[in-house]
Amino acid sequence: MSDLDKAIAQLRSCRPIPEDQVRELCHRARELLIEEGNVVTVTAPVTICGDIHGQFHDLMELFRVGGDVPDTNYLFMGDFVDRGFYSLESFLLLLCLKVRYPDRMTLIRGNHESRQITTVYGFYDECLRKYGSANVWRYCCDVFDYLALGAIVLGASSTLSPGSPDDDDTEIEVCDQAGSIISRFPRQPRPSSPQDKLDAPSKGTPDKTGPPGSGASGSSSGSVGNPTGAILCVHGGLSPLVDTVDKIRLIDRKQEVPHEGAMCDLLWSDPDEIDGWGLSPRGAGFLFGADIVKVFNHRNDLSLIARAHQLVMEGFKEMFDASIVTVWSAPNYCYRCGNVAAVLELTEDDSGTGIFQRTNGDVGRSSGGVVEPRGGPKYGPARRYRVFQAAPQDSRGMPAKKPVADYFL
């Protein structure tokens, strides 16, 4: 594209870019995304966002509340398209920002980034309406196949404001869209599960020393270069076929979302108040309980799983002793649900060790050689949720109509 910034400006004003520019943009995006693994490593600080679903003006509100690109490092957990009126502008803008600022924008795949789903829930029809053919839909679907399946966030701080003792014991802070603090929650010790004791190394056996997200790691209390434990971001949830993050890395992701299997489960599954695994009412993926999450987090040196995929009326919902959180970023979903939305902000660890992954050369797995901060051990990252409402009605305009064909001009 001759001028990416011009395309970004045009999309920010909610005007589609020409078809030839879309083709070139999608080509450049595929070249960029093919270099990323199935699980992208992201270093805090980062703002994690849930479903957008084509609600363009609410995406603009999200950027207003969370900070604009490239000033803020963003991670979007999929479902950019379908149901809203402006899936095309929303996805193309995020794609432009990804190409323009590849280190400040991480996009992972949702279950709606699929040919079959988008033909049913609106994106295909929107492309036909705005371009007169399905070409742009095909270009975008080709990009969908290259999106990562997850992300690992490293280097998150256990305090909301690194270096500030005032926030040392605050684990969760909830702010409104003006930045005013609504509520704060102090840090609570996390109860250990019986499985933790079973998985803990016995005397005489070497400690597990692998990097976060591999079968060679075995503590969710943090490690060298990862003081609070890593955070895994996926769109949907876990799979009975995946017990380590390394197994996600082995999936052949460059395909249409299959109807079953590990890739399908990662994009379709949901946490639920059950024991073990259960059948999903969605007809794809599984339901999984607290025991599944805690064992998975312990085995992979994770302190938290962040996911999207489910409407949450309050914008976010933490479950299972704060071992998993659902983040939802489409306010007033489908323009009628009346929910608020949220983004999750993780701050940067200021100890100087947060940017390095643990290697197999490290020893002392139980503590990782990290000196515990004042006040005892920290159990995962401090989290700031910014809750926001839908953009004002007068900022929305009318849904775009099909453009007049050139030969009528």
Side-chain angles (χ1 to χ4, degrees):
M1 194 180 302
S2 57
D3 191 346
L4 197 55
D5 290 325
K6 186 183 295 184
I8 292 172
Q10 183 168 333
L11 288 165
R12 280 182 181 276
S13 63
C14 202
R15 291 183 293 128
I17 57 178
E19 183 178 316
D20 60 332
Q21 289 189 17
V22 177
R23 183 176 64 248
E24 187 176 345
L25 170 66
C26 290
H27 177 73
R28 290 178 62 177
R30 287 201 313 274
E31 288 183 331
L32 192 65
L33 293 168
I34 199 172
E35 298 297 324
E36 296 183 347
N38 288 354
V39 182
V40 184
T41 300
V42 178
T43 304
V46 63
T47 297
I48 300 172
C49 310
D51 294 25
I52 300 301
H53 278 301
Q55 297 182 199
F56 176 84
H57 298 91
D58 299 320
L59 176 61
M60 293 296 98
E61 184 72 5
L62 185 155
F63 284 143
R64 189 190 70 78
V65 170
D68 217 336
V69 183
D71 300 328
T72 302
N73 185 20
Y74 278 103
L75 195 166
F76 284 85
M77 297 188 291
D79 277 13
F80 314 107
V81 299
D82 284 338
R83 294 202 165 101
F85 292 138
Y86 303 100
S87 294
L88 192 68
E89 293 84 353
S90 300
F91 180 63
L92 292 181
L93 175 59
L94 292 173
L95 211 56
C96 276
L97 293 171
K98 172 66 178 177
V99 173
R100 179 69 176 84
Y101 308 105
D103 297 330
R104 308 294 286 171
M105 179 70 70
T106 302
L107 307 176
I108 65 178
R109 192 171 189 173
N111 63 305
H112 277 261
E113 277 67 67
S114 148
R115 291 164 183 81
Q116 184 173 357
I117 298 297
T118 52
T119 54
V120 176
Y121 291 99
F123 183 50
Y124 175 83
D125 292 332
E126 184 181 328
C127 291
L128 279 182
R129 189 171 72 248
K130 292 177 179 176
Y131 285 95
S133 78
N135 291 341
V136 166
W137 174 78
R138 292 192 189 96
Y139 302 148
C140 292
C141 288
D142 288 342
V143 175
F144 293 163
D145 291 345
Y146 287 82
L147 291 171
L149 302 178
I152 287 277
V153 179
L154 299 177
S157 175
S158 58
T159 59
L160 288 169
S161 301
S164 170
D166 296 337
D167 285 334
D168 202 38
D169 293 321
T170 301
E171 183 174 20
I172 301 171
E173 184 176 274
V174 183
C175 302
D176 62 17
Q177 55 204 80
S180 303
I181 297 173
I182 301 173
S183 54
R184 276 182 168 169
F185 300 92
R187 187 172 296 278
Q188 301 291 332
R190 292 195 183 176
S192 59
S193 68
Q195 188 67 35
D196 291 348
K197 297 180 176 63
L198 293 175
D199 286 352
S202 60
K203 291 182 179 179
T205 59
D207 289 341
K208 294 181 178 181
T209 58
S214 77
S217 75
S219 169
S220 59
S221 62
S223 58
V224 170
N226 192 30
T228 64
I231 298 98
L232 172 66
C233 301
V234 293
H235 176 71
L238 301 178
S239 169
L241 300 173
V242 173
D243 57 358
T244 68
V245 178
D246 276 349
K247 289 189 178 178
I248 303 176
R249 295 185 171 106
L250 297 176
I251 296 171
D252 177 14
R253 78 174 191 266
K254 298 176 186 68
Q255 57 173 315
E256 172 71 348
V257 180
H259 294 288
E260 58 185 10
M263 179 172 167
C264 170
D265 298 342
L266 293 168
L267 273 54
W268 281 92
S269 293
D270 298 297
D272 198 11
E273 300 291 344
I274 61 172
D275 291 328
W277 298 97
L279 292 176
S280 173
R282 296 180 186 268
F286 290 88
L287 301 178
F288 55 93
D291 52 340
I292 301 296
V293 175
K294 289 177 182 177
V295 169
F296 186 88
N297 285 1
H298 178 83
R299 183 173 289 149
N300 291 280
D301 191 22
L302 303 174
S303 58
L304 182 68
I305 295 173
R307 42 91 64 179
H309 193 43
Q310 282 179 298
L311 169 63
V312 181
M313 295 303 289
E314 297 80 21
F316 70 95
K317 181 181 181 182
E318 295 195 349
M319 298 175 68
F320 310 152
D321 299 322
S323 60
I324 188 167
V325 60
T326 300
V327 181
W328 185 264
S329 300
N332 194 27
Y333 179 44
C334 294
Y335 309 111
R336 64 174 181 269
C337 287
N339 61 289
V340 296
V343 296
L344 165 57
E345 293 182 355
L346 300 173
T347 56
E348 181 182 9
D349 179 68
D350 62 351
S351 66
T353 61
I355 59 172
F356 301 107
Q357 290 195 54
R358 188 183 180 85
T359 69
N360 284 322
D362 293 324
V363 293
R365 180 64 194 155
S366 58
S367 67
V370 176
V371 177
E372 290 181 354
R374 176 175 61 81
K378 298 297 183 184
Y379 297 89
R383 304 176 292 289
R384 177 179 288 114
Y385 295 99
R386 292 198 183 273
V387 176
F388 61 98
Q389 296 178 331
Q393 190 62 39
D394 57 8
S395 71
R396 293 179 176 275
M398 293 293 290
K401 299 289 193 298
K402 179 179 176 180
V404 179
D406 290 342
Y407 50 81
F408 286 129
L409 298 178

